[in-house]
Amino acid sequence: AQSVTQLGSHVSVSEGALVLLRCNYSSSVPPYLFWYVQYPNQGLQLLLKYTSAATLVKGINGFEAEFKKSETSFHLTKPSAHMSDAAEYFCAVIGNRDDKIIFGKGTRLHILP
Amino acid sequence: DADVTQTPRNRITKTGKRIMLECSQTKGHDRMYWYRQDPGLGLRLIYYSFDVKDINKGEISDGYSVSRQAQAKFSLSLESAIPNQTALYFCATSDPGQGATGANVLTFGAGSRLTVL
């Protein structure tokens, strides 16, 4: 069965600093991996997805994530944080297209002025 | 109009009451899902449906039931609500698409906040 673990339920960074949100996955087959973002009082929206086409995936709003099979990781990064990035971020995994999608517990990102 | 519409957006009810949360979509997707979100627990899958005749239990289906009335409609019922079902509920849809790049990207509704007293 597939699963994801997000390290850190809360992360605080200063405006302009590097954002790093960690996600490790477990999958018995090559996975599809996703990052979703939830802004306050909204549903989730897709930031980016990994589907084996390229290990470095670029998403919206300047975010990117790198798939590292040897480390079973799919960490999310952004070079320079903006106040508008304050939100909750969820990593998700699916083992194949005919399977259900499993989410991590989420990481709430706080941006300090 | 939103691609995925959930009603009601907010509901307060009492223990033992029957509650139905409704979801409709205009995406034309075959796959629909119900998740619940609790602080610190992320999203947990309650039920999912890959087409009108296909219903599957998720991680936490006890105490819930679903009905897929049409491709566009998927409702979640709590037959006898209890306080620990107080949560934010999300409906989502997906389309596996063509080849690997479709990869089951989810489109979420805005959520239904349920409080059981």
Side-chain angles (χ1 to χ4, degrees):
Chain A
Q2 288 74 41
S3 67
V4 289
T5 301
Q6 292 185 241
L7 302 177
S9 58
H10 292 265
V11 170
S12 296
V13 302
S14 298
E15 192 174 18
L18 171 72
V19 175
L20 171 61
L21 304 182
R22 300 178 187 272
C23 173
N24 288 90
Y25 70 90
S26 172
S27 177
S28 57
V29 297
Y32 297 144
L33 292 158
F34 309 83
W35 278 98
Y36 284 83
V37 60
Q38 184 182 28
Y39 297 105
N41 300 313
Q42 296 185 25
L44 282 73
Q45 58 184 273
L46 182 70
L47 263 182
L48 49 81
K49 63 183 180 184
Y50 167 74
T51 59
S52 77
T55 57
L56 183 62
V57 182
K58 294 188 183 299
I60 62 172
N61 301 335
F63 284 93
E64 62 183 35
E66 186 172 10
F67 174 73
K68 292 187 177 180
K69 183 178 180 181
S70 61
E71 299 176 8
T72 62
S73 68
F74 189 57
H75 301 331
L76 181 71
T77 60
K78 182 174 180 177
S80 178
H82 295 172
M83 295 301 292
S84 60
D85 295 327
E88 190 157 19
Y89 293 79
F90 294 91
C91 184
V93 65
I94 182 172
N96 58 62
R97 287 169 49 209
D98 293 323
D99 205 350
K100 54 189 180 290
I101 301 165
I102 301 299
F103 285 82
K105 294 183 177 182
T107 298
R108 186 168 295 278
L109 178 63
H110 305 271
I111 310 298
L112 307 173
Chain B
D1 288 345
D3 292 327
V4 181
T5 302
Q6 294 184 231
T7 56
R9 292 292 313 279
N10 289 283
R11 182 72 183 269
I12 300 174
T13 191
K14 295 182 178 180
T15 298
K17 294 291 187 180
R18 183 178 188 275
I19 294 295
M20 178 180 287
L21 306 180
E22 298 185 341
C23 178
S24 63
Q25 53 117 343
T26 57
K27 298 286 288 184
H29 290 167
D30 286 327
R31 301 183 176 192
M32 297 188 74
Y33 309 78
W34 276 104
Y35 288 89
R36 69 175 275 177
Q37 183 179 20
D38 299 276
L41 297 180
L43 275 77
R44 293 180 289 168
L45 184 62
I46 306 172
Y47 272 95
Y48 61 107
S49 169
F50 280 2
D51 66 42
V52 174
K53 296 181 180 180
D54 175 78
I55 303 289
N56 302 282
K57 293 182 177 181
E59 305 167 75
I60 53 163
S61 59
D62 287 350
Y64 301 94
S65 62
V66 291
S67 174
R68 186 80 184 266
Q69 300 95 326
Q71 186 204 40
K73 295 184 183 296
F74 191 39
S75 60
L76 176 72
S77 294
L78 289 68
E79 296 300 325
S80 180
I82 56 177
N84 75 2
Q85 292 177 311
T86 293
L88 183 57
Y89 290 86
F90 284 104
C91 175
T93 73
S94 75
D95 182 347
Q98 299 298 317
T101 57
N104 253 336
V105 173
L106 293 169
T107 300
F108 282 86
S112 295
R113 186 169 296 280
L114 177 65
T115 302
V116 183
L117 302 177

